[in-house]
Structures are given as structure tokens and as C-alpha cells.
Amino acid sequence: MSPWIMIAIWSVFIIVTVIIELETADLVTIWFTAGAVGALIAAAFEVPPLLQVAIFLVISILLLLITRPLTKNISQKNFVRTNADRVIGMIATVTIEVTPEEIGEVKVGTVLWRAISLDQHSFQVGEKVQVDAISGTKLIISKIDNKDFIAL
């Protein structure tokens, strides 16, 4: 087999893996691109095709095993924790009525928050509610059993 055929095959493989890498948000094909570069160099030196494939596999697998744990940590979506997380699970007081159709307002400690209810309940001004989660800049609230509530 002509070395030019294998050079063309590895070149196309490199181009395809680079395009895939550029189109994805995560590192997906970078190791195979590096392996294909190694195989392309071997093809340029007229190494037999079977050995080129072996070179490709060895380089790709080694790079994958060495760098994947590092790149996985780097490429994970960064979740930035804020002090606002501390309000989850706390008791809030409704300051503006919350209905299934309207965003209301609650007070947690000394801070006012916009609030919504996902369980289709309405909450009246002065009612105590529990903060279940934060969605954007709004608290997601739910009913609590007021007889079990003990003011601190």
C-alpha cells in the first residue's frame, strides 16, 4: 500500500477529530487527534499500516489514561456556591402574597427574596413557609405545619 494513502487517511482523521473537538464543549477527541498525529508521522516514515494503527492506539490510550482524570475535573461545570445557599431549609415569613400565578416575596432573617411556589399553593402575608430551593433569584417555598413551628 502506498504511504500516501495512509497519510491521507490519518490527515482526514485528524481533521475530523479536530472539528468534533471544536464543536463540543467537553474534551472528547483530543486524545485521538494526538494518536492520529503519531500515526501520521509513522506513515510519513513508511511504517507498515498495522504498526501505524498500533501507534495510534497506544498514544491515544496512554494520553486518555494519563490526562482524562485531570481534564474531567477541569471541564466539569463550575458550580459556584454562595452564601445564599444557607437559606435552603430555613423558615421564611411571607411579606407579599405568593400565588401559583404570581411571584411574591418572603423575608428570611433580614433579607427580602422574591418567592414562588411549585406545588400550586397560595401563601398569605405573615404566613410562615419553608425554603426548599433557590431558582435564579427566587426562593422556592412550601407550606410548613405551623403547629410544629417553634420560633427561635
Side-chain angles (χ1 to χ4, degrees):
M1 179 181 293
S2 168
W4 294 108
I5 293 173
M6 291 308 294
I7 289 172
I9 290 172
W10 292 118
S11 296
V12 168
F13 192 86
I14 291 168
I15 291 167
V16 169
T17 56
V18 166
I19 290 170
I20 291 170
E21 192 64 45
L22 293 173
E23 292 296 320
T24 59
D26 297 325
L27 296 172
V28 177
T29 61
I30 192 73
W31 305 279
F32 305 116
T33 304
V37 169
L40 176 68
I41 293 168
F45 284 106
E46 299 184 17
V47 172
L50 192 57
L51 190 53
Q52 292 174 32
V53 172
I55 290 169
F56 164 76
L57 290 173
V58 167
I59 291 173
S60 298
I61 291 170
L62 279 176
L63 288 175
L64 182 64
L65 291 174
I66 293 169
T67 62
R68 183 64 179 165
L70 299 173
T71 57
K72 188 175 181 183
N73 289 339
I74 293 170
S75 65
Q76 283 181 346
K77 307 295 184 262
N78 291 335
F79 180 74
V80 179
R81 288 214 170 266
T82 65
N83 287 335
D85 295 337
R86 75 184 187 295
V87 301
I88 297 173
M90 293 181 75
I91 303 301
T93 304
V94 177
T95 56
I96 296 177
E97 182 182 14
V98 179
T99 67
E101 300 83 28
E102 294 290 326
I103 296 173
E105 184 179 77
V106 296
K107 187 174 187 178
V108 182
T110 60
V111 180
L112 294 173
W113 288 81
R114 295 174 59 196
I116 59 172
S117 171
L118 297 181
D119 55 10
Q120 302 300 313
H121 283 102
S122 293
F123 301 98
Q124 304 303 314
V125 174
E127 190 173 349
K128 302 292 185 190
V129 294
Q130 179 172 328
V131 178
D132 295 329
I134 299 174
S135 176
T137 60
K138 297 177 290 296
L139 297 183
I140 299 172
I141 59 172
S142 63
K143 284 197 175 288
I144 59 169
D145 191 357
N146 284 334
K147 67 181 177 187
D148 293 336
F149 172 68
I150 299 173
L152 301 175

